[in-house]
Amino acid sequence: MDSSKNLSQVSRRDLVKGAALLGGAALTEAATTRSEAKEAKSDKQAPSYYRFALGEAQVTVVSDGPLPLGDPSESFLGVPKEEVVRMLDKSFLPTKEVVLEQNAPIVNFGNKQVLFDTGMGSLKQFGPTTGRLKSSLAAAGVALEDIDAVVCSHAHWDHIGGIWGDDNKPTFPNAQIYISQTDYDFWTDKSKLGGDLDGLVKAAIHNLPPVRDRIVFFKDGEQFLPGVHAIAAPGHTLGHHCFMIESAGKSFCYVGDLTHHPVLLFEKPRMEFLFDTDSKLSAKSRVRVLDMLAANRTPLMSYHFPWPGLGNVGKDGEGFRYYPEPMHVSSL
């Protein structure tokens, strides 16, 4: 037997075997890496901002984070608990807990950037998930110094909580503040401290009087900023307002807290909400404004609707139906 030939054959066999072993080891290592990668999980989502065009303006919606309310039947009142559960279940929504969003739009008119509502700030009455407005602004590339105007739909803590910082400085150092005088006077009234409204009043006193020198009061129907008209919608608070926002023939209505839920308070708009100052008046305002928007086919944006809160409203029997606007992820 030719030993060199045998050696050559053995060498080839060993090479093939070795390559197989090496390949197997590589596959095992790759599989292990993939397995480890699968085990590594993240709770991070996409940045909490969303942009869309409005005529010649650009709107950037930023989030202050989810606001959990707990058992929906404890906040949405005036109908049997079973009916609330049925309405939520029919819409494939959780029946034991309701979580609201906090969607604050910034409208860049070119020469002015206007922010509507400011979130909870550092207040944690609704848990740790709120207070994200500043980080959302940073993610969207909007500097606090670039906000020229802050418009408040009303003076509840989740709307004015981000005006005055814990460093005893204004969060938006170059911004004029716009709010109704009715809400300013009601919620900064120190005689209400110690009562049922204590927490809300403390939040208003902390955030509003320190910037009193830069506050401007608007009136119903007034165009108090170019492209921004006030629409009185009292009830949730006595000075609550919605705002019609317009640019180059395009418009949408920022409704603030006119309606907190796209199912419960649309299907049954006369249902009462726990945090309303005057729930009957709130229901009247809700029906009036939603009727107007439905008739005119005007888009709306709600502070508390599912992200990013933009859609349309149509009549549906004795109530209304919400049609969310599809999100557009392509460049504007």
Side-chain angles (χ1 to χ4, degrees):
M1 181 181 291
D2 187 340
S3 60
S4 62
K5 182 177 179 182
N6 185 50
L7 179 62
S8 174
Q9 290 174 339
V10 171
S11 297
R12 286 197 294 270
R13 285 199 301 271
D14 288 345
L15 284 171
V16 171
K17 183 179 179 182
L21 289 172
L22 287 171
L27 287 171
T28 301
E29 182 179 355
T32 301
T33 303
R34 287 197 300 272
S35 177
E36 290 173 350
K38 288 179 181 178
E39 289 179 2
K41 298 176 182 177
S42 173
D43 59 358
K44 292 183 179 179
Q45 293 285 12
S48 297
Y49 66 89
Y50 174 68
R51 290 192 172 98
F52 62 93
L54 181 76
E56 296 176 354
Q58 184 184 70
V59 182
T60 302
V61 187
V62 291
S63 173
D64 192 55
L67 191 153
L69 281 185
D71 186 344
S73 66
E74 294 180 359
S75 297
F76 297 90
L77 311 172
V79 299
K81 178 177 180 177
E82 295 75 17
E83 180 68 5
V84 173
V85 170
R86 184 198 66 78
M87 293 169 68
L88 293 171
D89 184 64
K90 177 173 63 77
S91 297
F92 298 91
L93 294 173
T95 60
K96 295 184 178 179
E97 181 180 26
V98 64
V99 178
L100 307 180
E101 295 296 331
Q102 296 183 99
N103 313 309
I106 307 155
V107 184
N108 186 343
F109 288 101
N111 61 348
K112 192 180 291 290
Q113 289 205 84
V114 182
L115 167 67
F116 293 80
D117 291 329
T118 68
M120 289 286 294
S122 62
L123 298 171
K124 296 300 177 185
Q125 275 80 355
F126 293 92
T129 59
T130 64
R132 301 178 183 179
L133 187 79
K134 288 199 289 187
S135 61
S136 296
L137 286 166
V142 180
L144 302 178
E145 295 80 9
D146 291 341
I147 300 297
D148 301 295
V150 171
V151 177
C152 302
S153 59
H154 61 296
H156 276 176
W157 43 23
D158 53 326
H159 296 259
I160 52 87
I163 290 177
W164 188 255
D166 292 336
D167 58 357
N168 288 320
K169 295 179 182 179
T171 303
F172 307 98
N174 300 318
Q176 201 92 38
I177 311 296
Y178 296 83
I179 194 169
S180 72
Q181 185 167 3
T182 298
D183 255 30
Y184 182 92
D185 291 344
F186 183 95
W187 294 104
T188 60
D189 180 359
K190 293 182 179 179
S191 71
K192 294 183 175 70
L193 290 171
D196 293 341
L197 303 177
D198 184 75
L200 288 161
V201 174
K202 283 180 178 176
I205 290 173
H206 174 78
N207 282 277
L208 295 175
V211 293
R212 180 63 187 87
D213 62 334
R214 59 176 71 190
I215 287 180
V216 176
F217 298 126
F218 51 71
K219 295 184 179 356
D220 179 28
E222 179 184 2
Q223 180 176 272
F224 58 93
L225 285 167
V228 183
H229 287 81
I231 302 172
H236 180 57
T237 66
L238 298 182
H240 179 271
H241 280 68
C242 304
F243 306 98
M244 193 65 71
I245 302 168
E246 303 168 308
S247 173
K250 300 294 183 180
S251 64
F252 76 96
C253 186
Y254 174 63
V255 299
D257 278 12
L258 180 78
T259 171
H260 291 74
H261 201 279
V263 173
L264 299 177
L265 294 180
F266 261 53
E267 290 186 13
K268 294 188 178 296
R270 292 172 179 82
M271 188 184 297
E272 300 176 11
F273 184 64
L274 176 65
F275 293 95
D276 286 343
T277 300
D278 184 333
S279 58
K280 303 296 188 200
L281 181 59
S282 180
K284 289 181 180 179
S285 292
R286 184 158 46 248
V287 171
R288 172 174 56 83
V289 174
L290 292 180
D291 267 337
M292 175 190 71
L293 298 179
N296 296 334
R297 299 178 67 86
T298 302
L300 64 82
M301 183 189 159
S302 173
Y303 185 73
H304 287 302
F305 277 17
W307 174 259
L310 184 69
N312 284 274
V313 55
K315 287 286 292 180
D316 188 9
E318 295 297 313
F320 301 90
R321 183 175 175 184
Y322 177 61
Y323 299 88
E325 173 72 21
M327 292 182 66
H328 302 285
V329 295
S330 60
S331 299
L332 296 176

